[in-house]
Coordinates of all heavy atoms in Angstrom, one line a residue:
M12 N -15.1 13.0 -4.1 CA -14.1 12.1 -3.6 C -12.8 12.3 -4.4 O -12.9 12.3 -5.6 CB -14.6 10.7 -3.6 CG -13.7 9.7 -3.2 SD -13.7 9.0 -1.5 CE -15.2 9.4 -0.8
N13 N -11.7 12.4 -3.7 CA -10.4 12.5 -4.4 C -9.9 11.2 -4.9 O -9.9 10.2 -4.2 CB -9.4 13.1 -3.4 CG -9.7 14.5 -3.0 OD1 -10.4 15.2 -3.7 ND2 -9.2 14.9 -1.8
P14 N -9.5 11.2 -6.2 CA -8.9 9.9 -6.7 C -7.5 9.6 -6.1 O -6.9 10.5 -5.5 CB -8.8 10.2 -8.2 CG -8.7 11.7 -8.3 CD -9.5 12.3 -7.1
L15 N -7.1 8.4 -6.1 CA -5.8 8.0 -5.6 C -4.7 8.5 -6.5 O -4.9 8.6 -7.7 CB -5.7 6.5 -5.6 CG -6.5 5.8 -4.5 CD1 -6.4 4.3 -4.7 CD2 -6.0 6.1 -3.1
P16 N -3.6 8.9 -5.9 CA -2.4 9.3 -6.7 C -1.9 8.1 -7.5 O -2.1 6.9 -7.1 CB -1.4 9.8 -5.7 CG -1.9 9.4 -4.4 CD -3.3 9.1 -4.5
Q17 N -1.2 8.3 -8.6 CA -0.6 7.2 -9.4 C 0.3 6.3 -8.6 O 0.2 5.1 -8.8 CB 0.2 7.8 -10.6 CG 0.5 6.8 -11.6 CD -0.7 6.2 -12.3 OE1 -1.7 6.8 -12.5 NE2 -0.5 4.9 -12.7
S18 N 1.0 6.8 -7.7 CA 1.9 6.0 -6.8 C 1.1 5.0 -6.0 O 1.5 3.8 -5.9 CB 2.8 6.8 -5.9 OG 2.0 7.7 -5.1
S19 N 0.0 5.4 -5.5 CA -0.9 4.5 -4.7 C -1.5 3.4 -5.6 O -1.6 2.3 -5.1 CB -2.0 5.3 -4.0 OG -1.6 6.2 -3.1
K20 N -1.8 3.8 -6.8 CA -2.4 2.7 -7.7 C -1.3 1.7 -8.0 O -1.6 0.5 -8.1 CB -2.9 3.4 -9.0 CG -4.1 4.3 -8.8 CD -4.5 5.0 -10.0 CE -5.7 5.9 -9.8 NZ -6.1 6.6 -11.0
I21 N -0.1 2.2 -8.2 CA 1.0 1.2 -8.5 C 1.3 0.3 -7.3 O 1.5 -0.9 -7.5 CB 2.3 2.0 -9.0 CG1 2.0 2.6 -10.4 CG2 3.5 1.1 -9.0 CD1 3.0 3.6 -10.9
V22 N 1.3 0.9 -6.1 CA 1.5 0.1 -4.9 C 0.4 -0.9 -4.8 O 0.7 -2.1 -4.5 CB 1.6 1.0 -3.6 CG1 1.5 0.2 -2.4 CG2 2.9 1.8 -3.7
L23 N -0.8 -0.6 -5.0 CA -1.9 -1.5 -5.0 C -1.7 -2.7 -6.0 O -2.0 -3.8 -5.7 CB -3.3 -0.8 -5.3 CG -4.1 -0.4 -4.1 CD1 -5.4 0.1 -4.6 CD2 -4.3 -1.5 -3.1
E24 N -1.3 -2.3 -7.2 CA -1.0 -3.3 -8.2 C 0.1 -4.3 -7.8 O -0.1 -5.5 -7.9 CB -0.7 -2.6 -9.5 CG -0.5 -3.6 -10.7 CD -0.1 -2.8 -11.9 OE1 -0.6 -1.7 -12.2 OE2 0.7 -3.4 -12.7
I25 N 1.1 -3.7 -7.2 CA 2.2 -4.6 -6.7 C 1.8 -5.5 -5.6 O 2.0 -6.7 -5.6 CB 3.4 -3.7 -6.2 CG1 4.1 -3.0 -7.4 CG2 4.4 -4.5 -5.5 CD1 5.1 -1.9 -7.1
L26 N 1.1 -5.0 -4.6 CA 0.6 -5.8 -3.5 C -0.4 -6.8 -4.0 O -0.5 -7.9 -3.5 CB 0.0 -4.9 -2.4 CG 1.0 -4.0 -1.7 CD1 0.2 -3.1 -0.7 CD2 2.0 -4.9 -0.9
G27 N -1.2 -6.5 -5.0 CA -2.2 -7.4 -5.5 C -1.6 -8.6 -6.3 O -2.1 -9.7 -6.2
T28 N -0.5 -8.3 -6.9 CA 0.2 -9.4 -7.7 C 1.2 -10.1 -6.9 O 1.4 -11.3 -7.1 CB 0.8 -8.8 -9.0 OG1 1.7 -7.8 -8.7 CG2 -0.3 -8.3 -10.0
E29 N 2.0 -9.4 -6.1 CA 3.1 -10.0 -5.4 C 2.8 -10.5 -4.0 O 3.5 -11.2 -3.4 CB 4.3 -9.0 -5.3 CG 4.8 -8.4 -6.6 CD 5.5 -9.5 -7.4 OE1 6.2 -10.3 -6.8 OE2 5.5 -9.4 -8.7
G30 N 1.7 -10.0 -3.4 CA 1.3 -10.4 -2.1 C 1.9 -9.4 -1.1 O 2.4 -8.3 -1.4
A31 N 1.8 -9.7 0.2 CA 2.2 -8.9 1.3 C 3.6 -8.5 1.3 O 4.5 -9.4 0.9 CB 1.8 -9.5 2.6
M32 N 4.0 -7.3 1.6 CA 5.4 -6.8 1.6 C 5.6 -5.8 2.6 O 4.7 -5.1 3.1 CB 5.7 -6.2 0.2 CG 5.5 -7.0 -1.0 SD 5.9 -6.0 -2.5 CE 6.9 -7.1 -3.3
T33 N 6.9 -5.6 2.9 CA 7.3 -4.5 3.8 C 7.5 -3.2 3.0 O 7.5 -3.3 1.8 CB 8.6 -4.8 4.5 OG1 9.7 -4.9 3.5 CG2 8.6 -6.1 5.3
H34 N 7.6 -2.1 3.7 CA 7.8 -0.8 3.0 C 9.1 -0.9 2.1 O 9.1 -0.5 1.0 CB 8.0 0.3 4.1 CG 8.4 1.6 3.5 ND1 9.7 2.0 3.4 CD2 7.6 2.6 3.1 CE1 9.7 3.2 2.9 NE2 8.5 3.6 2.7
K35 N 10.1 -1.5 2.7 CA 11.4 -1.6 2.0 C 11.2 -2.4 0.7 O 11.8 -2.1 -0.4 CB 12.4 -2.2 2.9 CG 13.8 -2.3 2.3 CD 14.8 -2.8 3.4 CE 16.2 -2.9 2.9 NZ 17.1 -3.4 3.9
D36 N 10.5 -3.5 0.8 CA 10.3 -4.4 -0.4 C 9.5 -3.6 -1.5 O 9.7 -3.8 -2.7 CB 9.5 -5.6 0.0 CG 10.3 -6.6 0.9 OD1 11.6 -6.5 0.8 OD2 9.7 -7.3 1.7
I37 N 8.5 -2.9 -1.0 CA 7.7 -2.1 -2.0 C 8.6 -1.0 -2.7 O 8.4 -0.9 -3.9 CB 6.5 -1.4 -1.3 CG1 5.5 -2.5 -0.7 CG2 5.7 -0.5 -2.3 CD1 4.5 -1.9 0.2
V38 N 9.4 -0.4 -2.0 CA 10.4 0.6 -2.6 C 11.2 -0.1 -3.6 O 11.4 0.4 -4.7 CB 11.2 1.2 -1.5 CG1 12.4 2.1 -2.1 CG2 10.4 2.1 -0.6
K39 N 11.8 -1.3 -3.3 CA 12.6 -2.0 -4.3 C 11.8 -2.4 -5.5 O 12.3 -2.2 -6.6 CB 13.2 -3.2 -3.6 CG 14.3 -3.0 -2.7 CD 14.8 -4.3 -2.1 CE 15.8 -4.1 -1.0 NZ 16.2 -5.4 -0.4
K40 N 10.6 -2.9 -5.3 CA 9.8 -3.4 -6.4 C 9.3 -2.2 -7.3 O 9.2 -2.4 -8.6 CB 8.7 -4.2 -5.9 CG 8.0 -5.1 -6.9 CD 8.9 -6.3 -7.1 CE 8.1 -7.3 -7.9 NZ 9.0 -8.3 -8.4
S41 N 9.0 -1.1 -6.7 CA 8.4 0.0 -7.5 C 9.4 1.0 -8.1 O 9.0 1.7 -9.0 CB 7.4 0.8 -6.6 OG 8.2 1.5 -5.6
H42 N 10.6 1.0 -7.5 CA 11.6 2.0 -7.9 C 11.2 3.4 -7.6 O 11.7 4.4 -8.2 CB 12.0 1.8 -9.4 CG 12.4 0.5 -9.8 ND1 13.6 -0.1 -9.3 CD2 11.8 -0.5 -10.5 CE1 13.7 -1.3 -9.8 NE2 12.6 -1.6 -10.5
F43 N 10.3 3.6 -6.7 CA 9.9 4.9 -6.2 C 10.8 5.2 -5.0 O 11.3 4.3 -4.3 CB 8.5 5.0 -5.8 CG 7.5 5.1 -6.9 CD1 6.4 4.2 -7.0 CD2 7.6 6.1 -7.9 CE1 5.5 4.3 -8.1 CE2 6.7 6.2 -8.9 CZ 5.7 5.3 -9.0
S44 N 10.8 6.5 -4.6 CA 11.6 6.9 -3.4 C 10.8 6.4 -2.1 O 9.6 6.2 -2.2 CB 11.8 8.4 -3.3 OG 10.5 9.0 -3.0
P45 N 11.5 6.2 -1.0 CA 10.8 5.8 0.2 C 9.7 6.8 0.6 O 8.7 6.4 1.1 CB 11.9 5.7 1.3 CG 13.2 5.4 0.5 CD 13.0 6.1 -0.8
R46 N 10.0 8.1 0.4 CA 9.0 9.1 0.8 C 7.7 9.0 0.0 O 6.6 9.1 0.5 CB 9.6 10.5 0.6 CG 8.7 11.6 1.0 CD 9.4 12.9 0.9 NE 8.6 14.0 1.3 CZ 8.9 15.2 1.2 NH1 10.1 15.6 0.7 NH2 8.0 16.2 1.6
T47 N 7.9 8.7 -1.3 CA 6.7 8.5 -2.2 C 5.9 7.3 -1.8 O 4.7 7.4 -1.8 CB 7.2 8.4 -3.7 OG1 7.9 9.5 -4.0 CG2 6.0 8.1 -4.6
I48 N 6.6 6.2 -1.4 CA 5.9 5.0 -1.0 C 5.1 5.3 0.4 O 4.0 4.9 0.5 CB 6.8 3.8 -0.9 CG1 7.4 3.5 -2.2 CG2 6.1 2.6 -0.2 CD1 6.4 3.2 -3.3
R49 N 5.8 6.0 1.3 CA 5.1 6.4 2.5 C 3.8 7.1 2.3 O 2.8 6.9 2.9 CB 6.0 7.2 3.5 CG 7.0 6.3 4.3 CD 7.6 7.1 5.4 NE 8.3 8.3 5.0 CZ 9.6 8.3 4.5 NH1 10.3 7.1 4.5 NH2 10.2 9.4 4.1
Y50 N 3.9 8.1 1.4 CA 2.7 8.9 1.0 C 1.6 8.0 0.4 O 0.5 8.1 0.7 CB 3.1 10.0 0.0 CG 1.9 10.9 -0.4 CD1 1.4 11.8 0.5 CD2 1.4 10.7 -1.7 CE1 0.3 12.6 0.1 CE2 0.3 11.5 -2.1 CZ -0.2 12.4 -1.2 OH -1.3 13.2 -1.6
A51 N 2.0 7.1 -0.5 CA 1.1 6.2 -1.2 C 0.4 5.3 -0.2 O -0.8 5.1 -0.2 CB 1.8 5.4 -2.3
L52 N 1.2 4.8 0.8 CA 0.6 3.9 1.8 C -0.3 4.7 2.7 O -1.4 4.2 3.1 CB 1.8 3.3 2.6 CG 2.6 2.3 1.9 CD1 3.8 1.9 2.7 CD2 1.8 1.0 1.5
K53 N 0.0 5.9 3.0 CA -0.8 6.8 3.8 C -2.2 7.0 3.1 O -3.3 6.8 3.8 CB -0.2 8.1 4.0 CG -1.0 9.1 4.8 CD -0.4 10.5 4.9 CE -1.3 11.5 5.3 NZ -0.9 12.9 5.1
K54 N -2.2 7.3 1.8 CA -3.4 7.4 1.1 C -4.2 6.1 1.0 O -5.5 6.2 1.1 CB -3.1 8.0 -0.3 CG -2.6 9.4 -0.4 CD -3.6 10.3 0.2 CE -3.2 11.7 0.2 NZ -4.2 12.6 0.9
L55 N -3.6 5.0 0.8 CA -4.3 3.7 0.8 C -4.9 3.4 2.2 O -6.0 2.8 2.2 CB -3.3 2.6 0.3 CG -2.9 2.7 -1.1 CD1 -1.7 1.8 -1.4 CD2 -4.0 2.5 -2.1
K56 N -4.2 3.7 3.2 CA -4.7 3.5 4.6 C -5.9 4.4 4.8 O -6.9 3.9 5.4 CB -3.7 3.8 5.7 CG -2.6 2.7 5.8 CD -1.7 2.9 7.0 CE -0.5 3.8 6.6 NZ 0.5 3.9 7.6
E57 N -5.9 5.6 4.4 CA -7.1 6.5 4.5 C -8.3 5.9 3.8 O -9.4 6.1 4.3 CB -6.7 7.9 3.9 CG -5.8 8.7 4.8 CD -5.3 10.0 4.1 OE1 -5.8 10.3 3.0 OE2 -4.5 10.7 4.7
K58 N -8.1 5.3 2.7 CA -9.2 4.7 1.9 C -9.5 3.2 2.4 O -10.4 2.6 1.8 CB -8.8 4.6 0.4 CG -8.5 5.9 -0.2 CD -9.8 6.7 -0.5 CE -9.4 7.9 -1.3 NZ -10.5 8.8 -1.5
K59 N -8.8 2.8 3.4 CA -9.0 1.5 4.0 C -8.8 0.3 3.0 O -9.5 -0.6 2.9 CB -10.4 1.4 4.6 CG -10.6 2.3 5.8 CD -12.0 2.2 6.4 CE -12.2 3.0 7.6 NZ -11.8 4.3 7.7
L60 N -7.8 0.5 2.2 CA -7.4 -0.5 1.1 C -6.3 -1.4 1.5 O -5.9 -2.2 0.8 CB -7.1 0.2 -0.2 CG -8.3 0.9 -0.8 CD1 -7.9 1.7 -2.0 CD2 -9.4 -0.1 -1.3
L61 N -5.7 -1.2 2.7 CA -4.6 -1.9 3.2 C -4.8 -2.6 4.5 O -5.6 -2.1 5.3 CB -3.3 -1.0 3.4 CG -2.6 -0.5 2.2 CD1 -1.5 0.4 2.7 CD2 -2.2 -1.6 1.3
I62 N -4.2 -3.7 4.7 CA -4.1 -4.4 6.0 C -2.7 -4.2 6.5 O -1.8 -4.6 5.7 CB -4.6 -5.8 6.0 CG1 -6.0 -6.0 5.5 CG2 -4.3 -6.5 7.3 CD1 -6.4 -7.4 5.2
E63 N -2.5 -3.8 7.7 CA -1.1 -3.7 8.3 C -1.0 -4.9 9.3 O -1.8 -5.0 10.2 CB -0.9 -2.4 9.0 CG -0.9 -1.2 8.1 CD -0.6 0.1 8.9 OE1 -1.0 0.2 10.1 OE2 0.0 1.0 8.3
K64 N 0.1 -5.6 9.2 CA 0.4 -6.7 10.1 C 1.9 -6.5 10.6 O 2.7 -6.0 9.9 CB 0.3 -8.0 9.4 CG -1.0 -8.4 8.9 CD -1.1 -9.8 8.5 CE -1.2 -9.9 7.0 NZ -1.3 -11.3 6.5
M65 N 2.1 -6.9 11.8 CA 3.5 -6.9 12.3 C 4.3 -8.1 11.7 O 3.7 -9.2 11.6 CB 3.5 -7.0 13.8 CG 2.9 -5.8 14.5 SD 3.5 -4.2 14.1 CE 5.2 -4.3 14.7
N66 N 5.5 -7.8 11.4 CA 6.4 -8.9 10.9 C 6.9 -9.7 12.1 O 7.6 -9.1 12.9 CB 7.6 -8.2 10.1 CG 8.5 -9.2 9.5 OD1 8.4 -10.4 9.8 ND2 9.4 -8.8 8.7
M67 N 6.5 -10.9 12.2 CA 6.8 -11.7 13.4 C 8.3 -12.0 13.4 O 8.8 -12.3 14.5 CB 6.0 -13.0 13.3 CG 4.5 -12.8 13.4 SD 4.0 -11.6 14.7 CE 3.7 -12.7 16.0
Q68 N 9.0 -11.9 12.3 CA 10.5 -12.1 12.4 C 11.2 -10.9 12.8 O 12.4 -11.0 13.3 CB 10.9 -12.6 11.0 CG 10.4 -14.0 10.6 CD 10.6 -14.4 9.2 OE1 11.1 -13.6 8.4 NE2 10.4 -15.6 8.9
D69 N 10.6 -9.7 12.5 CA 11.3 -8.5 12.9 C 10.1 -7.5 13.3 O 9.5 -6.9 12.4 CB 12.1 -7.9 11.8 CG 12.8 -6.6 12.1 OD1 12.6 -6.1 13.2 OD2 13.7 -6.2 11.3
M70 N 9.9 -7.4 14.6 CA 8.7 -6.6 15.1 C 8.8 -5.1 14.8 O 7.9 -4.4 15.0 CB 8.5 -6.9 16.6 CG 8.1 -8.3 16.9 SD 6.5 -8.8 16.1 CE 5.4 -8.0 17.2
R71 N 10.0 -4.7 14.3 CA 10.1 -3.3 13.9 C 9.5 -3.0 12.6 O 9.3 -1.8 12.2 CB 11.6 -2.9 13.9 CG 12.3 -3.0 15.2 CD 13.8 -2.8 15.1 NE 14.3 -4.0 14.3 CZ 15.5 -4.1 13.9 NH1 16.4 -3.1 14.1 NH2 15.9 -5.1 13.2
Q72 N 9.2 -4.0 11.8 CA 8.7 -3.8 10.4 C 7.2 -4.1 10.4 O 6.7 -5.0 11.1 CB 9.4 -4.7 9.5 CG 10.8 -4.4 9.2 CD 11.5 -5.3 8.2 OE1 11.0 -6.4 8.0 NE2 12.5 -4.8 7.5
I73 N 6.5 -3.4 9.5 CA 5.1 -3.6 9.2 C 5.0 -4.2 7.9 O 5.7 -3.9 6.9 CB 4.3 -2.3 9.3 CG1 4.4 -1.7 10.7 CG2 2.9 -2.5 8.9 CD1 3.8 -0.3 10.8
I74 N 4.2 -5.2 7.8 CA 3.9 -5.9 6.5 C 2.5 -5.3 6.0 O 1.6 -5.3 6.7 CB 3.8 -7.4 6.6 CG1 5.2 -7.9 7.0 CG2 3.4 -8.0 5.3 CD1 5.3 -9.4 7.2
Y75 N 2.5 -4.8 4.7 CA 1.3 -4.3 4.1 C 0.7 -5.3 3.2 O 1.5 -5.9 2.4 CB 1.7 -3.0 3.4 CG 2.2 -1.9 4.3 CD1 3.6 -1.7 4.4 CD2 1.4 -1.1 5.0 CE1 4.1 -0.8 5.3 CE2 1.9 -0.1 5.9 CZ 3.2 0.0 6.0 OH 3.7 1.0 6.8
Q76 N -0.6 -5.4 3.2 CA -1.3 -6.4 2.4 C -2.5 -5.7 1.8 O -3.2 -4.9 2.5 CB -1.7 -7.6 3.2 CG -2.4 -8.7 2.5 CD -2.8 -9.8 3.4 OE1 -2.4 -9.9 4.5 NE2 -3.5 -10.8 2.8
Y77 N -2.8 -6.0 0.5 CA -3.9 -5.4 -0.2 C -5.2 -6.0 0.5 O -5.3 -7.2 0.6 CB -3.9 -5.7 -1.6 CG -5.1 -5.3 -2.5 CD1 -5.6 -4.1 -2.3 CD2 -5.6 -6.2 -3.4 CE1 -6.7 -3.7 -3.1 CE2 -6.7 -5.8 -4.1 CZ -7.2 -4.6 -4.0 OH -8.3 -4.2 -4.7
R78 N -6.1 -5.1 0.8 CA -7.4 -5.5 1.4 C -8.4 -5.6 0.3 O -8.8 -4.6 -0.2 CB -7.8 -4.5 2.5 CG -9.1 -4.9 3.1 CD -9.4 -3.8 4.1 NE -10.5 -4.3 5.0 CZ -11.1 -3.5 5.8 NH1 -10.8 -2.2 5.9 NH2 -12.1 -3.9 6.5
M79 N -8.8 -6.8 0.0 CA -9.8 -6.9 -1.1 C -11.2 -6.7 -0.7 O -11.8 -7.5 0.0 CB -9.7 -8.3 -1.8 CG -8.3 -8.6 -2.4 SD -8.4 -10.1 -3.3 CE -6.7 -10.2 -3.8
I80 N -11.7 -5.5 -1.0 CA -13.1 -5.2 -0.7 C -13.7 -4.6 -1.9 O -13.0 -4.0 -2.8 CB -13.2 -4.2 0.5 CG1 -12.4 -2.9 0.2 CG2 -12.8 -4.8 1.8 CD1 -12.5 -1.8 1.3
P81 N -15.0 -4.7 -2.1 CA -15.7 -4.1 -3.3 C -15.5 -2.6 -3.3 O -15.5 -1.9 -2.3 CB -17.2 -4.4 -3.0 CG -17.2 -5.6 -2.1 CD -15.9 -5.4 -1.2
L82 N -15.2 -2.1 -4.5 CA -15.0 -0.6 -4.7 C -16.2 0.2 -4.3 O -16.0 1.3 -3.8 CB -14.6 -0.3 -6.1 CG -13.2 -0.9 -6.6 CD1 -13.0 -0.5 -8.0 CD2 -12.1 -0.3 -5.7
Q83 N -17.4 -0.3 -4.3 CA -18.5 0.4 -3.9 C -18.4 0.8 -2.4 O -18.9 1.9 -2.0 CB -19.8 -0.4 -4.1 CG -20.1 -0.8 -5.5 CD -19.5 -2.1 -5.8 OE1 -18.4 -2.4 -5.5 NE2 -20.2 -3.0 -6.5
E84 N -17.8 0.0 -1.6 CA -17.7 0.3 -0.2 C -16.7 1.4 0.1 O -16.8 2.1 1.1 CB -17.2 -1.0 0.6 CG -18.3 -2.0 0.7 CD -17.8 -3.2 1.5 OE1 -17.0 -3.0 2.4 OE2 -18.3 -4.3 1.2
T85 N -15.7 1.6 -0.8 CA -14.7 2.6 -0.6 C -15.1 3.9 -1.2 O -14.5 5.0 -0.9 CB -13.4 2.2 -1.1 OG1 -13.5 2.0 -2.5 CG2 -12.9 0.9 -0.4
G86 N -16.0 3.9 -2.2 CA -16.3 5.1 -2.9 C -15.3 5.5 -4.0 O -15.3 6.6 -4.5
I87 N -14.4 4.5 -4.3 CA -13.4 4.8 -5.3 C -13.9 4.2 -6.7 O -14.3 3.1 -6.8 CB -12.1 4.1 -4.9 CG1 -11.6 4.6 -3.6 CG2 -11.0 4.2 -6.0 CD1 -10.4 3.9 -3.1
A88 N -13.7 5.1 -7.6 CA -14.1 4.7 -9.0 C -12.8 4.7 -9.8 O -11.9 5.5 -9.6 CB -15.1 5.6 -9.6
D89 N -12.7 3.7 -10.8 CA -11.5 3.7 -11.7 C -11.5 4.9 -12.5 O -12.5 5.4 -13.1 CB -11.6 2.5 -12.6 CG -10.6 1.4 -12.2 OD1 -9.6 1.7 -11.6 OD2 -10.9 0.2 -12.5
S90 N -10.3 5.6 -12.6 CA -10.2 6.8 -13.4 C -9.2 6.6 -14.5 O -8.4 5.7 -14.5 CB -9.9 8.0 -12.6 OG -9.1 7.7 -11.5

């Protein structure tokens, strides 16, 4: 099993402490480029560690939220 990239781990940490955010908010908070955040979110979605919700105030935006599930279910080990 491939470990998560560092950017994905940081995004998870941000979502875990700050709560649900849009892509733009994650970029501002992390100081990573938008492309890096898109890649990190893609990897987190593949591992089923995110919940995506539509922003009811602006339906063009997706809100990302950390999905709290036991690590045994994802096959991810801390490295």
Side-chain angles (χ1 to χ4, degrees):
M12 179 95 19
N13 294 336
L15 287 172
Q17 190 64 30
S18 59
S19 294
K20 292 176 184 178
I21 291 171
V22 168
L23 263 187
E24 184 179 325
I25 290 169
L26 291 175
T28 57
E29 302 288 326
M32 299 177 135
T33 64
H34 175 270
K35 186 176 181 179
D36 293 335
I37 298 169
V38 169
K39 285 181 187 175
K40 198 75 172 168
S41 68
H42 305 291
F43 284 126
S44 71
R46 183 176 179 184
T47 300
I48 297 302
R49 276 193 303 276
Y50 179 76
L52 292 170
K53 176 185 167 195
K54 291 298 180 183
L55 292 170
K56 284 188 270 185
E57 288 172 1
K58 301 283 187 184
K59 297 179 175 46
L60 293 172
L61 288 181
I62 298 171
E63 291 182 329
K64 298 191 251 183
M65 295 305 296
N66 185 348
M67 299 312 268
Q68 295 171 346
D69 184 350
M70 294 298 281
R71 298 170 294 175
Q72 292 184 332
I73 298 172
I74 296 177
Y75 298 95
Q76 183 177 352
Y77 175 48
R78 180 180 191 192
M79 295 188 183
I80 55 175
L82 292 179
Q83 299 90 318
E84 289 183 30
T85 63
I87 298 173
D89 254 335
S90 32

